[in-house]
Amino acid sequence: MTAVQETGSAPAEERPIGYGRLKRKEDPRFVRGKGHYVDDVQLPGMLHGAVLRSPLAHARIVSIDTSAAESHPKVRAVITGATLEGLGLAWMPTLSMDTQAVLATDKVRFQGQEVAFIVADDHYAARDAVELIDVEYEPLPPVIDARRALDPDTPVIRDDQEGRTDNRIFDWEAGDKAATDEVFARAELVVAQNMLYPRVHPAPLETCGCVADMDPVDGKLTLWSTTQAPHAHRTLYAMVAGLPEHKIRVVSPDIGGGFGNKVPIYPGYVCAVVGSILTKKPVKWVEDRSENLMSTGFARDYHMHGEIAATREGRILAVRVKVLADHGAFNGTAQPSKFPAGFFHVFTGSYDIEAAHCAVTGVYTNKAPGGVAYACSFRVTEAVYLIERLVDCLADELHTDPAELRMRNLIRPEQFPYPSKTGWEYDSGDYPATLRKALDLAGYDALRREQAERRARGELMGIGLSFFTETVGAGPRRQMDILGLGMADGCELRVHPTGKAVVRISVQTQGQGHETTFAQIVAEELGIPPEDIEVVHGDTDQTPFGLGTYGSRSTPVSGAAAAVVARKVRDKARILAGAMMEVSPDDLEWEKGRWFVRGDPTAARTIQEIALAAHGVLELPEGVEGHLEATTVYNPPNLTFPYGAYLCVVDVDPGTGVVKVRRFVAVDDCGTRINPMIIEGQVHGGLADGVGMALSEIISFDEDGNCLSGSFMDYLVPTALEVPAWELGYTVTPSPHHPIGAKGVGESATVGSPAAVVNAVMDAIGVRHADMPLTPGRVWLAMHGGVEAPQ
Ligand code: MCN
Ligand code: CUN
């Protein structure tokens, strides 16, 4: 399926580190069906949990009768909000610090909200007993359209919060409003556009679940859990339950995809823990597909109004944005007042402009909670889509070529490190070179000629571009003020006497290949072959603290920690090698895998020899500890800013509006590339995400708040038939502040690709704007001057 263009630009010709295109260490177990997922965990005496969910989007709970369920012969416990209140666990912090009802007591606030939890001998009995619970609801008018959420007569959804009189969660701003308004006032040209980034779902193949095992004897809770952030979860459980950290072990085994969906804590986890406490048995809870789609963290749902000011020659001067952010019934993102919109900081994209301002209002609605997840780098996806659509609207207004318009406004290489108008410092880049490469790879001029010929024949061919800058590697405390949390990660490396090594990392893999790439980082630094390096992750009892895998932060933060800890080991090995050869360490030089005496390369000790010596063989020099190991905690000095240029070619059927993505060219720059094959896999997945969001995916609701996208029959993720053979290229601009120059890449393609697809479709049909997903019906309507009311 793949045409990979190995066209790295000289002088940064591809020099992947640590054995480059190494096949993934984790794949042999996956291809043999030997992966070990949460649902594979089987413990003696294990019971099974199931959740009763609200059928209504907004209702008062009049009564809950559990008596029939309790008398079911296989039921071991029935948990309601009242049970949890008795235990002081009725409310929990999601990872966001906003509180969410674990189980609804007074009201239900979205369809699918958790109302009760059954623990039974087997899964089927648990499901049957759920049906036996009798809840009497008094329906309330639901608030589904975020644009109505702040109307004076709209019901207050979160009346559980003291003093609350409306549905406003926060108002947030970035940039300089006065300066921006001033530029707009004098600009020759202003183009404005409303757009909706619809609600979408990460839809990992494996749904969420856990096995909770509270050992009644030693009081230790073990939680096998589908989490992207085991340490962060442990801390929150410790804080809520009042247990010390050493009495909680969170194990995140193989994970069938996360994509952000597995960052939050969900009520099912808490209920399984309580179920285990009450029954003194392990309790497994795994949600089904509909539960996952209807009730777990969704993404986007941004109503955006963007304006771009420019000269008639096509110089972009300023950008102004107003956003209404629909966060559902519980604000699933951090720091209600600040963070959700925080990363919207990057709405100026990759362009050098004079002024920018953005105002975001977040509101509650009667929809599932969230507002963060899905390969988004926390709102960069929305921001990139907005600016890349605006630039195309401007090109349309100016009758200019969109590639040329981008080329003349991109930040220039000599401007890095580039201080953005909203407070970031972009670390490095050569944007024009990357755009040029994408255009060359695609054969842009020839494509435009082909398009003209086809148009003359009445065919609708479109070419769409997007250029994105990502902010990943969350991040240093100074910049993460919007979150109120610094993001340092630990790493531990131990070289065994035989020279084999184990590296314990703070992040967790859900398919990104950490077991391979982290071994490669250490291999590069120490010259130990990657197959001799075991990567331990996803178990809080076995790994150092870190904040987890999201925001493509593993490489920027934890990957940096792995390089730093390996360098510490290398430094110590130097001292030991000096002692072994009875020379001063200052006279030694490093060459992959060994220290040798300067001027005499034959006088050397390999890392394996040094490791053995370090374990009792060598008479240690004064003040030097035995063994060959080190620990570190890495505090990133800045985020990393990967970027890329994407080009999409589509054909639209004039009769039906069906869009066919014919080609997709993606040139990514993630700095130093560790494993190009894994990077390509990440990009392929992200591009498929982008095509899905652009063309078919939406979580939609009817006016009563019924979720209309509760299965894969309705929520249409693209299959192999809907995506083209990706054509990939790359450039390499190392990050100057990262120990190995690497930037993250895990979300780049999801962030960058939707705008390219939408731009291509608009180019094909000659329409300024239509909202995603561009289903045949919507495209047809847009072609015929109609607009479907946005959700
Ligand atoms: N990599 C590399 N060279 C670089 C950058 C990255 O070889 N210069 C490799 C890394 O070593 C790692 C992989 O690419 O093996 C992704 O690295 P990174 O960009 O650091 O992202 P994370 O590992 O932190 O993964 C998180 C990111 C996020 S936030 C989402 S969402 C997403 C994504 O990863 N979820 C995924 N990709 C996913 N891929 C799979 N298969 N499953 C998911 O759930
Ligand atoms: Cu925003 S989805 Mo990823 O950061 O886990």
Side-chain angles (χ1 to χ4, degrees), residues 741-774:
K743 305 178 179 186
V745 77
E747 295 159 306
S748 289
T750 315
V751 167
S753 56
V757 181
V758 174
N759 286 346
V761 177
M762 295 305 114
D763 184 49
I765 64 176
V767 168
R768 178 66 65 85
H769 178 78
D771 281 329
M772 300 186 286
L774 294 171

Side-chain angles (χ1 to χ4, degrees), residues 20-349:
R21 277 177 190 279
L22 199 67
K23 284 194 179 156
R24 301 201 323 167
K25 286 178 159 209
E26 38 277 88
D27 284 345
R29 71 173 185 272
F30 291 145
V31 297
R32 289 180 187 134
K34 296 290 183 195
H36 199 254
Y37 298 86
V38 162
D39 207 17
D40 294 319
V41 174
Q42 297 293 346
L43 299 177
M46 189 172 76
L47 303 174
H48 296 262
V51 175
L52 171 69
R53 295 176 183 277
S54 168
L56 301 174
H58 201 191
R60 193 176 307 286
I61 296 177
V62 180
S63 62
I64 304 179
D65 181 356
T66 57
S67 52
E70 271 158 30
S71 54
H72 187 292
K74 289 187 168 178
V75 166
R76 302 289 155 233
V78 180
I79 298 167
T80 63
T83 323
L84 297 174
E85 254 164 38
L87 295 163
L89 291 173
W91 290 85
M92 65 177 192
T94 55
L95 272 187
S96 62
M97 314 298 168
D98 188 10
T99 48
Q100 174 173 350
V102 178
L103 294 173
T105 46
D106 55 333
K107 274 184 182 179
V108 286
R109 294 180 167 87
F110 65 94
Q111 188 190 49
Q113 188 178 352
E114 296 80 356
V115 177
F117 190 81
I118 297 280
V119 181
D121 290 344
D122 61 61
H123 183 67
Y124 301 100
R127 280 295 170 117
D128 287 348
V130 158
E131 303 292 322
L132 297 176
I133 300 175
D134 190 14
V135 185
E136 192 187 329
Y137 295 105
E138 179 192 313
L140 297 167
V143 184
I144 301 306
D145 185 343
R147 292 162 302 176
R148 300 269 80 81
L150 296 176
D151 289 355
D153 54 344
T154 299
V156 177
I157 297 167
R158 294 301 302 278
D159 55 354
D160 54 293
Q161 294 176 343
E162 218 172 300
R164 175 164 281 287
T165 55
D166 63 16
N167 293 314
R168 186 185 304 269
I169 309 174
F170 60 82
D171 286 302
W172 177 91
E173 285 184 70
D176 185 335
K177 184 165 189 320
T180 308
D181 290 348
E182 190 270 317
V183 177
F184 267 87
R186 66 174 155 81
E188 292 170 359
L189 195 67
V190 172
V191 176
Q193 185 60 54
N194 277 322
M195 44 189 117
L196 168 69
Y197 207 130
R199 170 178 281 235
V200 290
H201 197 280
L205 263 187
E206 180 203 29
T207 59
C208 297
C210 69
V211 176
D213 184 14
M214 184 71 183
D215 187 318
V217 178
D218 67 9
K220 180 154 179 167
L221 168 67
T222 303
L223 195 68
W224 285 265
S225 176
T226 54
T227 170
Q228 296 178 221
H231 286 280
H233 278 206
R234 184 185 63 174
T235 302
L236 282 178
Y237 292 130
M239 282 155 67
V240 173
L243 287 172
E245 262 96 341
H246 63 269
K247 290 290 186 193
I248 304 174
R249 175 181 177 200
V250 177
V251 186
S252 179
D254 284 327
I255 300 283
F259 307 103
N261 189 234
K262 291 167 181 169
V263 177
I265 290 179
Y266 294 117
Y269 302 153
V270 180
C271 290
V273 171
V274 173
S276 180
I277 293 171
L278 295 177
T279 60
K280 301 190 168 46
K281 295 264 177 64
V283 174
K284 178 185 281 185
W285 165 74
V286 179
E287 67 188 5
D288 67 21
R289 177 63 54 196
S290 294
E291 292 180 287
N292 181 256
L293 282 172
M294 287 173 64
S295 70
T296 61
F298 71 91
R300 332 281 191 243
D301 228 347
Y302 262 32
H303 298 261
M304 308 188 278
H305 176 77
E307 292 172 281
I308 192 163
T311 66
R312 292 219 169 271
E313 282 69 52
R315 174 87 199 130
I316 302 172
L317 302 173
V319 181
R320 198 159 58 183
V321 186
K322 275 207 179 90
V323 178
L324 180 67
D326 182 339
H327 282 251
F330 300 95
N331 184 25
T333 60
Q335 286 264 324
S337 62
K338 297 172 177 175
F339 180 62
F343 281 54
F344 214 87
H345 269 105
V346 290
F347 65 95
T348 55

Side-chain angles (χ1 to χ4, degrees), residues 258-259 511-512 514 517 551 554-555 672 674-675 682 743 745-747:
F259 307 103
Q512 296 91 341
H514 293 174
T517 47
S554 300
T555 303
T672 305
I674 300 161
N675 185 324
Q682 291 290 299
K743 305 178 179 186
V745 77
E747 295 159 306

Side-chain angles (χ1 to χ4, degrees), residues 228 258-261 263 300 372-379 510 549-552 747:
Q228 296 178 221
F259 307 103
N261 189 234
V263 177
R300 332 281 191 243
V372 65
Y374 191 7
C376 54
S377 295
F378 306 105
R379 300 308 189 185
Q510 308 107 46
T549 300
Y550 45 82
S552 303
E747 295 159 306

